[in-house]
Amino acid sequence: MADKTDNRGATPAAWPGSGVEWPARAVVTAGMPYGNKALHFGHVGGVFVPADCYARFLRDRIGADNVRFVSGTDCFGSPINEGYRKKVESEGFSGTIEDYVQANHDAQVATLNAFEIGLDIYEGSNIGVAGKVHHEFTRRVIERLYENGYFEKRETLQFYDPKAGTFLNGRQVEGRCPVQGCKGEKAYADECDLGHQFDPAELIAPKSTITGEVPELRPAPNWYFTLPDFADVVEEYVRECERQGARPLVGQTISEFLAKPIIFVNTRDEAEERYREVADTLPPHEFRAPEKGKASFELEFASIDERDVARDALMAAGLRIRTGKTLVPFRITGNIDWGISVPELDPDMAGLTVWCWPESLWAPISFTQAVAEKRGLGPDDWKRFWTQKDAVVYQFIGQDNLYFYGVAQPALWVGLQEGNPRQLQPEEGHLQQAHLIANHHILYGKSKASSSGAVKPPSADELLEHYTAEQLRAHFLALALDQRAVAFKPKVFDPDPEVRDNPRISDPVLKEASLLTKVFNRLARSCFYEAKNKFDCCMPLGTPADDVRRMAYKTLARYERTMAKAELHTIMQIMDEFIRWSNKRWSAGIKRVETGLAEEGADVEALEAERRQLLVDCFYLLRVCTLLMHPVAPVGCEMICEYFQLDPARFFSWDASFSGLDELCPAESTAAGMHPVKELLPRVDFFPAHPSQFK
């Protein structure tokens, strides 16, 4: 519901603030796209644009030097291996795997630049300074976890393709997820596309993507992090997320993994009778009969190891089973060559590489170190952002990755504490827990936006052939992905020509775009044209009207409180109301002035004074609108600042009283009561529409 504006009452001399306390320093992360592909719109719209908006706001709010916005290409892992193999075999690619990743990384960089994503660093886990730092930091993390006693050797079964004569990496095996209730479209060797973790032996209907054959399971040793030992840490983290006001999705999803180890046994084919025959041979457990309408009974065990013993026995007895979500040992290493080598911890565990998911969790720390190194800030500068209590890490992620960031990461951070204090909120010097900002799926049609799905979404680059980056940014932010999965429906890509080619059907993507290209653009153009035509290309200075300042103060406070909750779709609603209010203020005021001047016997002096005050009011409103829209549409807003001819560092800063524009102007302008602005030439737009939209 729109916030009703009450413009009555006294106006304070300066904006009193919103009461929100911001950290002294902040890190913003945006995940790590795999280095096997370019970016589709789900990467950009679902994570990068929201993260960029937040990072830009924080730079304006607490100072650019106090913010690090980091990401990079995930260079390792089975998706990279499999993509490279297909590229070589199907397309005759002759480069190395490093060449393959670098080419995809370069394409990602170009796309992010095109969408105005202003990262402090975007290199990769094996690219640039970040790659060098990341290799060294990974070694230190592995050694610390081992020294703290949180590693265990586990010999697990790994898929082997006898026809190809090779072990298969994770993405070279496909099947169905064995986790009860999973609705993922695809599962791989030990995880599905919704992030569920399971033992390879549990994968349903496995098939080798290399030969199409059913692979064998052969034993392979790896290091595992003892995640089940950190159930208390994960439980406390859920409570901390609730105290932080995290989105309900975060706590709900993490809590699902705190369930006891359960096996769901399908009731078909006299399953209960067959279970009773082997029940006494299973580890101690609790039997629960099927609930009404359910097609399985449940067996609950005290530990994951006991559950796995029972799982193998039940499968050997021919029963159809699925396992429930629970805390399982978190795999740290893998058996593929393409990865960061594991330091020698045990002579029996030689030749292993680090699995890409664990090292991607601490990669943002490596990237923050790389920013410091590139800026010559010293080797410990990163600690000011990751280990001090007056700093906060905001991690923007998709809901599929909550297991890794919300379950494994909090436990790993505690496991890395020197001296093993096992504190979720430790003293300074240890890694501080992150604030997770998780989005629901961004859909294309009825399916999750995924380049590996059945329905191929448009690439992010293809969208820019029909929309401007700022039009798309505004639309993505308005989708309310914090609340639910939302379909992205660009009209120009609609498969139905009766929709696509019908001029009477509006394009959903352009709903928010009109706020930029029409309303906001009109306000800015009107102010600068009026200054050019009536005030010799100068902006008159003075005190804005009381109701104007009251409206601005209320909007600033509401905006800031909304940003504290990262409700970016509400930010778009707030700005829609404020920009339209400001534009109406101009339209009504200038109509009143011009109409009055056209009347016989008009009080010209009074009406010209009213014109001057109107421009004082509307330039003030324009400045506040531009500051608040800067995180959404940075290029157009920075162009407006250029026409104000004011210092961007001051213009885009919240360190102001917001009592008028005098505080931003040099002394000579304030003394003269006028500030020169840049001349606006005809047909110059601050937020132009895409050329294709002028058909």
Side-chain angles (χ1 to χ4, degrees):
M1 181 179 293
D3 189 28
K4 300 299 183 182
T5 301
D6 183 358
N7 287 322
R8 296 171 297 176
T11 302
W15 180 55
S18 67
V20 176
E21 292 187 11
W22 296 99
R25 288 168 302 286
V27 176
V28 179
T29 76
M32 293 178 67
Y34 279 129
N36 63 335
K37 63 185 74 173
L39 301 178
H40 62 69
F41 78 83
H43 292 122
V44 174
V47 177
F48 274 103
V49 167
D52 183 73
C53 176
Y54 212 73
R56 288 180 183 275
F57 163 73
L58 288 171
R59 287 174 182 143
D60 292 344
R61 188 64 186 85
I62 66 175
D65 290 341
N66 297 318
V67 179
R68 299 287 186 267
F69 180 24
V70 300
S71 182
T73 300
D74 195 345
C75 299
F76 300 112
S78 57
I80 316 300
N81 276 48
E82 184 65 0
Y84 175 66
R85 181 187 68 82
K86 291 179 178 178
K87 187 83 170 176
V88 171
E89 293 180 2
S90 303
E91 302 179 31
F93 183 70
S94 59
T96 65
I97 194 168
E98 289 91 344
D99 297 332
Y100 169 72
V101 173
Q102 184 68 52
N104 288 318
H105 168 78
D106 293 343
Q108 292 172 4
V109 169
T111 299
L112 293 173
N113 288 340
F115 275 87
E116 302 162 13
I117 307 299
L119 288 144
D120 289 292
I121 194 169
Y122 191 82
E123 292 184 338
S125 51
N126 197 49
I127 294 173
V129 173
K132 175 179 69 71
V133 172
H134 184 59
H135 279 248
E136 173 58 23
F137 190 70
T138 296
R139 181 189 64 77
R140 285 155 46 200
V141 167
I142 297 296
E143 290 176 344
R144 171 67 63 81
L145 290 171
Y146 178 77
E147 291 164 0
N148 284 355
Y150 296 127
F151 272 9
E152 63 179 4
K153 293 187 286 186
R154 294 176 70 93
E155 190 175 74
T156 56
L157 297 175
Q158 183 171 329
F159 286 108
Y160 181 85
D161 189 331
K163 186 174 181 179
T166 184
F167 277 103
L168 302 175
N169 65 51
R171 292 300 175 103
Q172 290 175 336
V173 182
E174 292 183 356
R176 299 198 308 276
C177 182
V179 174
Q180 177 73 6
C182 178
K183 298 179 180 179
E185 298 177 359
K186 190 180 295 183
Y188 305 102
D190 57 4
E191 66 171 324
C192 76
D193 61 358
L194 293 183
H196 299 143
Q197 301 291 294
F198 47 82
D199 192 289
E202 300 175 40
L203 181 65
I204 299 171
K207 182 177 69 174
S208 168
T209 63
I210 298 178
T211 64
E213 300 290 321
V214 177
E216 300 174 357
L217 282 168
R218 297 187 178 182
N222 273 295
W223 288 113
Y224 283 75
F225 174 66
T226 58
L227 182 56
D229 295 341
F230 289 81
D232 59 327
V233 170
V234 179
E235 286 185 47
E236 187 180 351
Y237 184 66
V238 171
R239 293 192 292 271
E240 179 62 24
C241 288
E242 293 171 351
R243 285 194 292 270
Q244 293 170 359
R247 295 170 179 175
L249 171 69
V250 174
Q252 292 167 5
T253 304
I254 298 172
S255 295
E256 292 174 357
F257 292 94
L258 292 170
K260 292 290 186 181
I262 295 174
I263 294 177
F264 297 86
V265 184
N266 193 290
T267 57
R268 291 170 54 184
D269 303 326
E270 300 179 339
E272 186 170 340
E273 290 79 358
R274 295 160 64 193
Y275 151 73
R276 297 293 180 188
E277 294 174 1
V278 299
D280 291 342
T281 68
L282 304 179
H285 60 279
E286 178 184 345
F287 170 87
R288 287 196 286 269
E291 296 180 2
K292 186 177 180 180
K294 299 290 186 180
S296 60
F297 57 86
E298 300 177 7
L299 309 176
E300 181 181 307
F301 297 85
S303 71
I304 187 67
D305 288 333
E306 290 175 328
R307 186 207 70 174
D308 289 349
V309 170
R311 177 202 64 204
D312 294 343
L314 293 169
M315 292 176 67
L319 291 168
R320 296 162 59 91
I321 68 169
R322 284 180 179 259
T323 51
K325 297 178 185 177
T326 190
L327 295 182
V328 299
F330 186 57
R331 182 162 63 89
I332 296 294
T333 64
N335 306 92
I336 62 175
D337 293 335
W338 179 240
I340 299 176
S341 297
V342 175
E344 187 172 329
L345 308 174
D346 186 311
D348 296 331
M349 305 287 280
L352 299 177
T353 54
V354 182
W355 183 35
C356 65
W357 255 114
E359 48 100 349
S360 72
L361 295 176
W362 55 76
I365 305 175
S366 304
F367 296 166
T368 308
Q369 293 180 49
V371 171
E373 183 170 327
K374 290 163 79 79
R375 296 181 181 180
L377 297 175
D380 291 331
D381 181 75
W382 68 275
K383 294 180 180 178
R384 299 190 305 121
F385 293 87
W386 286 89
T387 70
Q388 294 186 3
K389 286 186 172 295
D390 60 354
V392 172
V393 176
Y394 301 92
Q395 295 194 302
F396 284 76
I397 60 174
Q399 69 178 90
D400 292 354
N401 295 332
L402 271 168
Y403 170 79
F404 298 104
Y405 288 93
V407 178
Q409 179 174 284
L412 283 168
W413 273 207
V414 172
L416 284 167
Q417 292 172 8
E418 189 172 3
N420 284 328
R422 285 182 65 92
Q423 297 173 352
L424 185 73
Q425 299 294 342
E427 296 303 315
E428 291 192 0
H430 298 294
L431 292 175
Q432 303 295 311
Q433 296 292 343
H435 289 212
L436 297 184
I437 303 174
N439 278 339
H440 288 268
H441 294 140
I442 184 168
L443 308 177
Y444 186 63
K446 296 181 180 180
S447 303
K448 182 183 71 168
S450 171
S451 56
S452 60
V455 179
K456 301 300 180 186
S459 71
D461 295 335
E462 286 175 310
L463 290 175
L464 293 174
E465 297 173 6
H466 303 276
Y467 308 97
T468 69
E470 300 202 328
Q471 288 176 333
L472 289 164
R473 286 172 64 99
H475 181 65
F476 287 140
L477 291 171
L479 286 179
L481 293 172
D482 62 309
Q483 297 183 336
R484 64 192 182 281
V486 182
F488 175 59
K489 300 178 179 178
K491 181 183 174 186
V492 293
F493 290 95
D494 196 300
D496 184 354
E498 293 187 7
V499 174
R500 186 180 62 244
D501 301 330
N502 188 339
R504 290 178 299 211
I505 297 178
S506 61
D507 189 338
V509 177
L510 296 180
K511 177 183 177 183
E512 296 77 23
S514 65
L515 179 67
L516 293 174
T517 60
K518 296 179 181 178
V519 189
F520 195 11
N521 196 55
R522 186 184 305 126
L523 174 65
R525 284 165 55 94
S526 297
C527 287
F528 287 110
Y529 274 139
E530 191 73 1
K532 171 186 175 182
N533 296 330
K534 299 297 183 180
F535 294 91
D536 195 25
C537 239
C538 284
M539 171 179 68
L541 299 178
T543 302
D546 285 353
D547 66 324
V548 167
R549 282 198 290 166
R550 280 196 294 269
M551 183 63 171
Y553 293 173
K554 181 174 183 176
T555 301
L556 285 161
R558 185 181 172 206
Y559 180 104
E560 187 170 35
R561 288 193 291 265
T562 302
M563 270 294 187
K565 296 183 287 187
E567 293 179 357
L568 302 182
H569 71 287
T570 306
I571 289 294
M572 293 302 300
Q573 294 171 9
I574 292 170
M575 293 314 301
D576 185 273
E577 294 169 19
F578 184 53
I579 291 172
R580 292 184 188 280
W581 189 92
S582 301
N583 191 62
K584 287 178 182 177
R585 177 77 176 204
W586 166 259
S587 299
I590 197 63
K591 181 179 180 180
R592 185 170 56 252
V593 169
E594 297 297 346
T595 300
L597 288 171
E599 294 177 354
E600 186 175 349
D603 186 341
V604 175
E605 184 177 350
L607 287 168
E608 289 299 340
E610 185 176 344
R611 183 199 301 275
R612 188 183 194 283
Q613 183 61 46
L614 176 64
L615 207 53
V616 168
D617 292 345
C618 290
F619 263 121
Y620 171 82
L621 290 169
L622 177 61
R623 183 268 165 136
V624 177
C625 288
T626 306
L627 169 69
L628 301 187
M629 282 298 282
H630 186 222
V632 178
V635 171
C637 289
E638 287 165 14
M639 182 179 175
I640 291 175
C641 177
E642 176 189 338
Y643 274 76
F644 266 99
Q645 296 193 145
L646 292 171
D647 177 10
R650 297 186 65 192
F651 188 91
F652 291 114
S653 171
W654 285 66
D655 187 15
S657 69
F658 295 103
S659 56
L661 292 180
D662 302 57
E663 63 184 346
L664 301 180
C665 296
E668 55 268 27
S669 295
T670 304
M674 302 287 281
H675 175 72
V677 296
K678 183 176 178 180
E679 180 183 3
L680 182 65
L681 299 176
R683 295 183 294 278
V684 171
D685 288 316
F686 296 98
F687 304 98
H690 192 277
S692 67
Q693 295 161 15
F694 292 104
K695 294 179 181 177

